Amino acid sequence: MKVKCYIQGIAAITPQHTFEGDIFAQPLESCSSNLLSVREPDYKAYIPANSLRRMSRMLKMGLTTAIKCLQDSGLGAPGAIVTGTGKGSLQDTERFLKDIRQYNERALNPTPFIQSTYNAVNGMIAVQQQCTTYNNTFVHRGFSFEHALLDSMLLLQEGTPHTLTGAFDEMTEEHCYIKSRIGMWKTEKVNSAQLYEHPSPGTIAGEGAVFFALSARATAQSYARIAGLQLFYKPQPGFLAAALPAFLQQQGLSPRDIDLVLTGRNADSNYAHFYQQLEAPLPGACQLPFKHLCGEYETAGAFATWLAAHILKAQQAPRQWFPMVPAFPERVERILLYNHFFGEQHVLMLLERAGAHGG
Amino acid sequence: MEELKKQLKAQIIEALNLQDIKPEDIEDNAPLFGEGLGLDSIDSLELMVLLERHYQIRVEDPREGRKILQSVQSMAEFIQSKQPA
Amino acid sequence: MAERVFITGMGMITAIGDTVAANLHSLRQQQSGLGYTRYLDTIYREVLPVAEVKHDDEALREMAGVPGQPQYTRTTLLGLIAMQEAWQQAGINDPLREPAGFINASTVGGMCDTERVYFDLIDPSKDGPFLQYIDTLDCADSTQRIADRMGFTGYITTISTACSSSANAIMYGARLIKQGLQRRVVCGGTEALTAFTLNGFNSLKNIDKQPCRPFDQQRNGLNLGEGAAYLVLESETLARENGSTILAELSGYCNSNEAFHPTAPSPEGDGAFAAMQQALAMSGRSIADVQYVNVHGTATLNNDVSEGKALQRLFGREVPPFSSTKPFTGHALAAAGAIEAIYSVLAIRQGIIFPNLHFSEQMEELQIVPETRLLEQQPVRTVISNSFGFGGNNASLVISKYEG
């Protein structure tokens, strides 16, 4: 796609201290329960009490992140609101299922049903921002955020001045248990900070809400440019060997132009072979794994995009989060992101420093 | 009746998760919707659930609901009218 | 110059028929699909009418070509059956020759099957074949199973914006084509009846115990339905290259938002008005060119007032014939937009305007009434199809006769 897509604003509620303050000074948070839960801010600063009283956790997280992102961007109401979520408001879905059973289908409170709707967060942001234009929600596992991004890039190409583009997912104990029954998580408890030292079947669960304000025009405030995005559905095991060089070539780049690789590596031995293929086409490139920070979930790619944007803007990484990485590059012009969700939805994304490349 | 209204106020606060409001803050005849407590149509559905769960009274028609749910007073009167004398 | 987007294939299954032709037949016979459920486990079995597809899961598995495979949920099965017809009609034999995208829509994924076993799933003491359903709850499950079975190799994703989901899927597919990312995209949605959604709408006091009466003064809510519908969209270039049969053109679309309330539309129909107006502007047609509007028309108190007002605002005194086909199919949520998009194509190709069943009394808020007769031999060249949903999500499609 020809359109230039700049990240103009950003906000994230994640298992790390990402919502407020200087992320380069925040300690690495870890857990030993195989479930990295988000650090929730005080929502009252963002949402009036009368609105908060009915909202479930996912809605508060999503709406607050969206509001903070728009504040950060300095842009007005967005020209479109596009989001991705794998599971929507899981707590509401669980609650309504239980209410149906507990009350034998009678006298049911409609709120969990309304909020379990996957586009509930979008609707709420639209009301809050009085945004009457395009509004869409993608719900496709490891492609949820990425299609929200692709849709946003189409919108920028079509002339929408800026979009609010985000992703959110939550994990509950109950759902964690359900997914454990098909082997998604490690059976042994692992400290998330030492995740990569424990290759075995399964990984650790996570969650988060991340929003971006995207624009076709760069300003001094731009974090980064999203320069390329390619999605692969259930590719062959060895696909990266050809797909990665082809992806770079499309952007007129060679492997040497990549300063940093963000990899979705998650110590899941079932799918580790995909990540191992990154070495050959990108010899010697500095690799930053990120799943020990956010855990594995459908829209973890949004967390990685958030991280990449910060690194490109600040020209430094929050090193304290990466004790396992011995050396960081001096300058970071381009970051390649490779992530997949349990081997099915694979994503290659290229992010560039804003303004550095004639944009 | 007074006891019923007091109980109703506490139940409303709990059901709707009203913040920083005590039963004595709600006047018997103050409108619950719009100006008053700032409740909306979803709250009205939740109040109908309250009537059903606590008082076993089912309001079928949302239009009828609007009249019943005008105030704590109107709710209490409705409940009393439905209860065996 | 952006590519024009043509509809070159359609497939569907609803309560009124297992194919597009069977649906057309029932529409012509004015045969509603509403009745009481045979397959849903609910206390409302004989209380709330629904428009259920007239086959049990095992029969659907046979029809879909996956007999004895319980991991295919009803949502997936309905989708597969509709998809196979769409491919057949579009003459797609070799999916590798032209990579096709698949944009699916779903509101509650495989809830229809998951809700029956959910409490076993969360109970460590329970074990058994139900574990096969674990990964079918989310919306992507049906999309991927359909994609894998058919062999889709292009963009694959799922949209969920409540009742407007599949209209938005069609829109997204068209935009991928217009911007040259894909030349063929199959778009639509699939929805199976669930106790979850039935209780959900019932908790909103939005379900009529009678067959629904859209745009009627006495209307009292919707009836849920189920089904699946897919439209094959192709770029003009591909359609010509391929010699595709062009059924109609998707000439305009718009998604707008009410920004008003989580579940209710704005009283004056601001979102509906904006969606219709902008979709029509994009199509290059004027209000005088519209011969028929397939309205969202759920028969809820709120929808019909605001949608009716939007029609009056857009068309003034010259509101064209309009009808809701929900009394035929029920409200099939994520599938509704695609079902009604196909009905819009049929209206154009057959020169027919469908009746709004169960109407008797004009709404006091409106000056207009829906078309209640089946009109044949109508010169229908441009149709607007509306789909509006929770979260204030409004989508309007403009479908036009292909005239070269």
Side-chain angles (χ1 to χ4, degrees), chain A residues 105 140 174 181 234 345, chain C residues 44 118 126 144 148 158:
Chain A
E105 302 188 67
H140 198 102
E174 185 168 303
R181 300 192 82 170
K234 292 191 179 172
Q345 304 85 25
Chain C
Y44 300 110
Y118 188 77
K126 295 273 173 63
Q144 294 200 171
D148 293 352
T158 316

Side-chain angles (χ1 to χ4, degrees), chain A residues 81-117:
Chain A
I81 301 168
V82 194
T83 65
T85 179
K87 300 183 291 287
S89 180
L90 204 48
Q91 285 194 1
D92 284 304
T93 305
E94 289 171 358
R95 195 176 138 206
F96 200 61
L97 277 166
K98 284 178 192 147
D99 281 1
I100 289 174
R101 183 157 133 137
Q102 185 184 346
Y103 297 102
N104 191 24
E105 302 188 67
R106 290 186 182 89
L108 296 177
N109 186 330
T111 298
F113 174 67
I114 296 167
Q115 298 190 358
S116 74
T117 314

Side-chain angles (χ1 to χ4, degrees), chain A residues 44 49-50 52-54 99 103 106-112 114, chain B residues 16-19 37-40 42-43 45-46 49 52-53 58:
Chain A
K44 284 199 209 91
N50 199 35
L52 264 180
R53 68 191 163 86
R54 217 158 44 201
D99 281 1
Y103 297 102
R106 290 186 182 89
L108 296 177
N109 186 330
T111 298
I114 296 167
Chain B
L16 305 184
N17 192 22
L18 296 177
Q19 307 289 307
L37 288 176
L39 305 185
D40 65 9
I42 297 170
D43 292 308
L45 291 167
E46 295 200 5
V49 171
E52 196 164 349
R53 285 191 189 165
R58 182 161 169 80

